Amino acid sequence: MPREITAYSNPLIKWVRDLRDKRHRKQARQFLAEGLRILTEAKETGRLPTLLFFAKPSADHPLVRQLVRAVELAGGEAIETTPDILSKLSGKDNPQAVVGVFEELGTTLDMLDRSSSGIWLVAERLRDPGNLGTILRTGDAVGAGGLILVGECVDPFSVEAVRASMGALFTVPIVKTEWQPFLDWLRQGPGQLVGLSLDTETDYRSAHYAAPTFLLTGNEAQGMPADYAAACDVLVKIPMLGKADSLNAAVATAVMAYEVLAQQGRGKTA
Amino acid sequence: MPREITAYSNPLIKWVRDLRDKRHRKQARQFLAEGLRILTEAKETGRLPTLLFFAKPSADHPLVRQLVRAVELAGGEAIETTPDILSKLSGKDNPQAVVGVFEELGTTLDMLDRSSSGIWLVAERLRDPGNLGTILRTGDAVGAGGLILVGECVDPFSVEAVRASMGALFTVPIVKTEWQPFLDWLRQGPGQLVGLSLDTETDYRSAHYAAPTFLLTGNEAQGMPADYAAACDVLVKIPMLGKADSLNAAVATAVMAYEVLAQQGRGKTA
């Protein structure tokens, strides 16, 4: 039976609202996700929030009732609150029907099985939460084994990244690491590292992408450092005919990933 | 010789700041773009702001001086102001070195030469300014003839869309129109309309994209209406292996556009 919280001054509400702040999120190792569609998708992949907030007007929605039941069965807590508080938790004027608090999984490189997919996404110093979420969504679509974040990347558990991922945050494993540990891990097994670069003559369509391929995307403004590029097995470029000098990082990653998918033959009949 | 404005209460400053508001922008038919890189790129394509704002600390930057000279030669006005006012004009704590006010071009369908490119991008009811800007950037990269916006799309001249376009706003012609006028214009000449859809078995890699190809992307949440899909010469789908049910709209457009580019043979040697 869900308890009810209607006071904005309630300490739990304050604690949850603070999860919008990166520092607080890092300490708590929990993050916010919102919306019936995304939380239901999370449930289907076996991920349930530890805390689930919903507002009275949505209490009888069948998907909300299913979520409440599942959360309570799993030992989490469902909390009925007001639309106003829900709106403050989500930071939006038109709040979603539900807001959930999830535990970070803390996946590490050692937990990845590189034979589980032919495509892996690697991003270094990615700065934009929208790009990160969009890359996760692409990762889900191409069946990527995971997204490996190298160096100082934007927090994948920020509200903006979670939103842009449209639920892919729950389906694509995420590892946060640094360059050297990543490279050490990579070289312990099969896998080619493919870097996206402006300084190569190799067209991305002419390279061969054996499984598993690790696609490395550099920082939005600067691309990748020279020593990262030197460590790649192959550097490829996407042709650009225009006057601007680069594609959006999430777009470039997707164009590459779909070429790998097509070459590996899994995209043909899907 | 640039005049100087240091008072935030100056009516011109207020007028420019109001260009961040859609209604005001529509009346004025002018919009804001900021940043040395973007304004310099605009200059190189022959587009200069009618008003150029810069702050004293940047006044001696060679690119700023070039912009000031070009604007004044073209009959526009360069205005020196304070970093604080610049910050308020741009809506950012760390303002760019320059903010420019540009006139909307008001390109119409009749002004387009469909033989000028093999790829044209068409988006209907696109809602996210980041997606719109990113699609423009992709359009620049693939050498698209233009972006045709059908129906109630987000304003391409909003500050967010201009920012996300990274200058491509100045290199890719933009037409705002409605579905029927677009279709009437399209059928007056050669060109196949290719729709991205979830309801087809045709893989995007197996279709043939003759020049000029018009790529139609539907609304982010709903896709395109059934009668739009029915009017397409071919519907194609991008394979999705994951649990989420769609790609980001700008990503899907880019994956399609690069397939068209590769087929039309212009991407091979670039």
Side-chain angles (χ1 to χ4, degrees), chain A residues 67-197:
Chain A
L67 272 169
V68 167
R69 205 174 312 129
V71 166
E72 290 184 335
L73 270 173
E77 191 177 10
I79 295 166
E80 189 173 302
T81 186
T82 65
D84 187 46
I85 288 180
L86 212 57
S87 162
K88 272 161 185 155
L89 291 182
S90 85
K92 275 181 168 175
D93 288 342
N94 294 309
Q96 303 273 1
V98 287
V99 171
V101 176
F102 289 83
E103 284 178 4
E104 287 189 20
L105 280 191
T107 308
T108 58
L109 287 169
D110 293 333
M111 294 160 74
L112 300 178
D113 170 14
R114 71 178 77 197
S115 69
S116 66
S117 175
I119 309 180
W120 296 78
L121 305 179
V122 188
E124 67 99 10
R125 290 175 305 144
L126 199 71
R127 290 295 157 84
D128 184 84
N131 282 345
L132 198 155
T134 302
I135 288 176
L136 278 172
R137 207 170 156 190
T138 300
D140 177 79
V142 300
L147 171 63
I148 299 168
L149 298 171
V150 172
E152 271 296 308
C153 288
V154 65
D155 185 2
F157 303 108
S158 69
V159 173
E160 298 79 13
V162 173
R163 236 176 236 161
S165 87
M166 296 290 282
L169 181 87
F170 295 108
T171 64
V172 179
I174 301 169
V175 172
K176 297 191 244 183
T177 186
E178 298 297 326
W179 176 246
Q180 200 54 53
F182 163 67
L183 210 57
D184 293 344
W185 172 83
L186 178 70
R187 297 314 181 194
Q188 285 164 22
Q192 67 173 339
L193 185 60
V194 177
L196 199 53
S197 168

Side-chain angles (χ1 to χ4, degrees), chain A residues 214-229:
Chain A
F214 292 80
L215 288 180
L216 175 58
T217 309
N219 169 269
E220 287 97 336
Q222 300 155 9
M224 68 186 74
D227 55 324
Y228 290 26

Side-chain angles (χ1 to χ4, degrees), chain A residues 37 41 44-45 134 137-138 140-143 165-168 171 201 203-205 220-221 237-251 254-255 258-263 266-270, chain B residues 37 41 44-45 134 137-138 140-143 165-168 171 201 203-205 220-221 237-251 254-255 258-263 266-270:
Chain A
R37 177 179 154 185
E41 212 159 79
E44 280 164 13
T45 66
T134 302
R137 207 170 156 190
T138 300
D140 177 79
V142 300
S165 87
M166 296 290 282
T171 64
E201 292 306 309
D203 188 278
Y204 77 111
R205 289 239 177 189
E220 287 97 336
K237 72 167 182 179
I238 297 176
M240 292 181 211
L241 312 180
K243 295 187 182 86
D245 67 348
S246 78
L247 287 167
N248 167 278
V251 159
V255 169
Y258 268 95
E259 174 61 21
V260 176
L261 186 67
Q263 281 199 20
R266 302 185 307 163
K268 290 293 154 89
T269 54
Chain B
R37 178 180 153 181
E41 211 157 81
E44 280 163 14
T45 66
T134 302
R137 208 171 156 189
T138 299
D140 177 79
V142 299
S165 86
M166 296 291 281
T171 63
E201 292 306 308
D203 187 279
Y204 78 110
R205 287 238 175 188
E220 287 98 334
K237 72 166 179 179
I238 297 176
M240 292 180 212
L241 313 179
K243 295 185 182 88
D245 67 348
S246 77
L247 288 167
N248 166 279
V251 159
V255 169
Y258 267 95
E259 175 61 22
V260 175
L261 186 67
Q263 280 198 22
R266 301 185 308 163
K268 289 294 153 86
T269 54

Side-chain angles (χ1 to χ4, degrees), chain A residues 270, chain B residues 122 124 179 183 187 192-209 213-218 222-239 256 260:
Chain B
V122 187
E124 67 101 8
W179 176 247
L183 210 57
R187 297 314 182 195
Q192 66 172 339
L193 184 60
V194 176
L196 198 52
S197 167
L198 298 172
D199 300 323
T200 172
E201 292 306 308
T202 308
D203 187 279
Y204 78 110
R205 287 238 175 188
S206 66
H208 175 63
Y209 304 110
T213 282
F214 293 79
L215 288 180
L216 175 58
T217 308
Q222 300 156 11
M224 67 186 74
D227 55 324
Y228 291 25
C232 288
D233 298 298
V234 57
L235 292 176
V236 297
K237 72 166 179 179
I238 297 176
M256 286 292 308
V260 175

Side-chain angles (χ1 to χ4, degrees), chain B:
Chain B
M1 186 60 199
R3 73 163 147 152
E4 200 178 333
I5 299 182
T6 55
Y8 188 59
S9 58
N10 182 293
L12 183 63
I13 296 295
K14 186 184 169 340
W15 183 84
V16 172
R17 185 158 174 260
D18 284 349
L19 287 177
R20 305 174 57 77
D21 174 69
K22 185 175 179 178
R23 238 176 352 193
H24 181 59
R25 205 160 53 231
K26 274 205 182 303
Q27 282 169 359
R29 299 190 57 78
Q30 309 235 9
F31 66 95
L32 290 173
E34 57 197 349
L36 215 38
R37 178 180 153 181
I38 290 177
L39 264 66
T40 299
E41 211 157 81
K43 177 165 81 70
E44 280 163 14
T45 66
R47 294 288 299 276
L48 286 166
T50 52
L51 292 170
L52 174 74
F53 294 86
F54 62 98
K56 218 174 208 110
S58 313
D60 287 331
H61 190 297
L63 288 177
V64 172
R65 291 170 67 169
Q66 283 171 30
L67 271 168
V68 167
R69 205 174 312 132
V71 166
E72 289 183 337
L73 270 173
E77 189 177 11
I79 295 166
E80 189 172 302
T81 186
T82 65
D84 187 46
I85 288 179
L86 212 56
S87 162
K88 272 161 185 155
L89 292 183
S90 85
K92 273 182 170 177
D93 288 342
N94 293 309
Q96 303 272 4
V98 287
V99 170
V101 176
F102 289 83
E103 282 178 7
E104 286 189 23
L105 279 191
T107 308
T108 58
L109 287 169
D110 292 335
M111 295 159 73
L112 300 179
D113 170 14
R114 70 179 79 197
S115 69
S116 66
S117 174
I119 308 180
W120 296 78
L121 304 179
V122 187
E124 67 101 8
R125 290 176 305 144
L126 199 71
R127 289 295 156 84
D128 184 84
N131 283 345
L132 198 154
T134 302
I135 288 175
L136 279 172
R137 208 171 156 189
T138 299
D140 177 79
V142 299
L147 171 64
I148 300 168
L149 298 171
V150 172
E152 270 296 309
C153 288
V154 65
D155 184 2
F157 303 108
S158 69
V159 174
E160 297 79 13
V162 173
R163 235 175 236 162
S165 86
M166 296 291 281
L169 180 89
F170 295 108
T171 63
V172 179
I174 300 169
V175 172
K176 297 191 245 184
T177 185
E178 298 296 328
W179 176 247
Q180 200 53 52
F182 163 67
L183 210 57
D184 292 345
W185 172 82
L186 178 71
R187 297 314 182 195
Q188 286 164 21
Q192 66 172 339
L193 184 60
V194 176
L196 198 52
S197 167
L198 298 172
D199 300 323
T200 172
E201 292 306 308
T202 308
D203 187 279
Y204 78 110
R205 287 238 175 188
S206 66
H208 175 63
Y209 304 110
T213 282
F214 293 79
L215 288 180
L216 175 58
T217 308
N219 170 268
E220 287 98 334
Q222 300 156 11
M224 67 186 74
D227 55 324
Y228 291 25
C232 288
D233 298 298
V234 57
L235 292 176
V236 297
K237 72 166 179 179
I238 297 176
M240 292 180 212
L241 313 179
K243 295 185 182 88
D245 67 348
S246 77
L247 288 167
N248 166 279
V251 159
T253 302
V255 169
M256 286 292 308
Y258 267 95
E259 175 61 22
V260 175
L261 186 67
Q263 280 198 22
Q264 293 184 355
R266 301 185 308 163
K268 289 294 153 86
T269 54

